[in-house]
Amino acid sequence: MMIYLVEDDESIRELVIYTLKSQGFEAKGFERPSLFWKELEKEHPSLLLLDVMLPEEDGISILKKLRVSPDTRKLPIIMLTARGSEYDTVIGLDSGADDYLIKPFHIRELMARVRALTRRPQQIQEMGMLSYADLHFDYPNRKVTCNGQELILTAKETELLSVLMKQPETSFSREQLVLKVWGSNADIEPGNVDNYISFLRKRLRELHSKCAITTIYGSGYRLESAHA
């Protein structure tokens, strides 16, 4: 399993590449986006770790290009950023990032995020179609359809929607969603779930679905339909 890292900070790049290889992954690091694009022509990775602030081209621009291309639109991508504001997080997630990590980060936290995303291909093969109300979800292909329209979801959106659609009208706490989507070893704050819920709600609005993710105050979230 090949993992690419685009990071211009040499110390971070060397540490992450060393750790990935010590954990049994194949890994390649790129100081500049031009080197990454050149290598991408020869081989597609299983996961991309992408810094936001880069020379030549910023990470958000790279992310948007990857999500437009049919060859890389499903590539799991974790953004690495020194920016910690909600605005920067929203921009990254809205552009198609599957996860984000704010610098400085602990290498154990990064590896937990990597393991969560690299386990996903095997899990995807074990699931098929999910349906609820006017939503039809092709889980293996991350495609959700409604009223003749379709959208391709990011990996995190895929996992989150699958949890909600497997048990519609059931409330899930933030802690439960963290466990089901990120796993027990993930070092992610339950409050960060709100960001991902917000983006999944946006997807449902784009499809003009009758379904909505309702906030259950003091309890969490659940998927409901206006005609359920």
Side-chain angles (χ1 to χ4, degrees):
M1 182 171 289
M2 176 61 72
I3 297 176
Y4 284 178
L5 166 65
V6 187
E7 168 63 70
D8 62 325
D9 187 312
E10 183 178 4
S11 61
I12 295 177
R13 190 172 64 252
E14 290 184 350
L15 173 61
V16 172
I17 293 298
Y18 173 81
T19 305
L20 287 169
K21 290 182 176 179
S22 70
Q23 296 294 314
F25 295 102
E26 293 184 75
K28 294 181 181 179
F30 305 94
E31 180 182 4
R32 301 191 307 276
S34 57
L35 300 175
F36 161 72
W37 288 118
K38 184 176 181 179
E39 188 67 18
L40 194 66
E41 295 176 357
K42 297 185 271 186
E43 179 184 25
H44 284 180
S46 301
L47 175 69
L48 173 63
L49 308 176
L50 180 61
D51 189 25
V52 172
M53 300 299 292
L54 292 166
E56 302 178 342
E57 184 178 15
D58 68 85
I60 297 298
S61 297
I62 295 172
L63 174 62
K64 290 179 178 179
K65 290 179 182 178
L66 292 170
R67 287 302 181 232
V68 169
S69 171
D71 294 330
T72 55
R73 66 183 182 182
K74 298 179 185 177
L75 172 64
I77 299 174
I78 300 176
M79 301 297 294
L80 307 178
T81 176
R83 300 175 176 179
S85 72
E86 181 179 352
Y87 173 79
D88 292 313
T89 299
V90 166
I91 291 296
L93 294 176
D94 199 24
S95 298
D98 297 297
D99 206 346
Y100 67 95
L101 201 55
I102 297 172
K103 299 177 184 178
F105 54 80
H106 293 291
I107 195 68
R108 290 177 59 187
E109 180 181 2
L110 174 61
M111 292 307 301
R113 307 284 182 98
V114 167
R115 286 192 294 270
L117 283 174
T118 54
R119 282 197 301 264
R120 192 156 293 128
Q122 180 178 358
Q123 296 171 344
I124 286 176
Q125 298 302 319
E126 298 173 357
M127 294 186 63
M129 296 293 297
L130 294 170
S131 295
Y132 172 67
D134 58 359
L135 292 177
H136 303 281
F137 188 26
D138 181 352
Y139 184 95
N141 293 305
R142 300 186 188 171
K143 182 170 65 177
V144 59
T145 59
C146 178
N147 303 317
Q149 301 182 72
E150 67 177 42
L151 288 174
I152 301 296
L153 305 182
T154 67
K156 274 290 185 294
E157 290 168 341
T158 295
E159 294 299 318
L160 189 54
L161 183 60
S162 71
V163 171
L164 297 172
M165 285 191 68
K166 282 188 290 184
Q167 294 179 270
E169 302 169 48
T170 298
S171 297
F172 293 94
S173 68
R174 292 178 177 85
E175 291 77 12
Q176 288 175 314
L177 292 174
V178 167
L179 182 63
K180 289 176 177 291
V181 175
W182 285 269
S184 58
N185 295 322
D187 187 10
I188 180 172
E189 293 294 329
N192 288 344
V193 173
D194 299 342
N195 283 327
Y196 294 96
I197 289 289
S198 176
F199 280 90
L200 197 51
R201 282 171 167 163
K202 180 179 178 181
R203 303 298 189 203
L204 296 182
R205 289 196 297 270
E206 290 175 11
L207 291 170
H208 304 289
S209 173
K210 294 182 175 64
C211 296
I213 300 174
T214 304
T215 299
I216 310 300
Y217 293 99
S219 179
Y221 299 102
R222 67 173 174 235
L223 181 67
E224 296 180 325
S225 169
H227 299 288

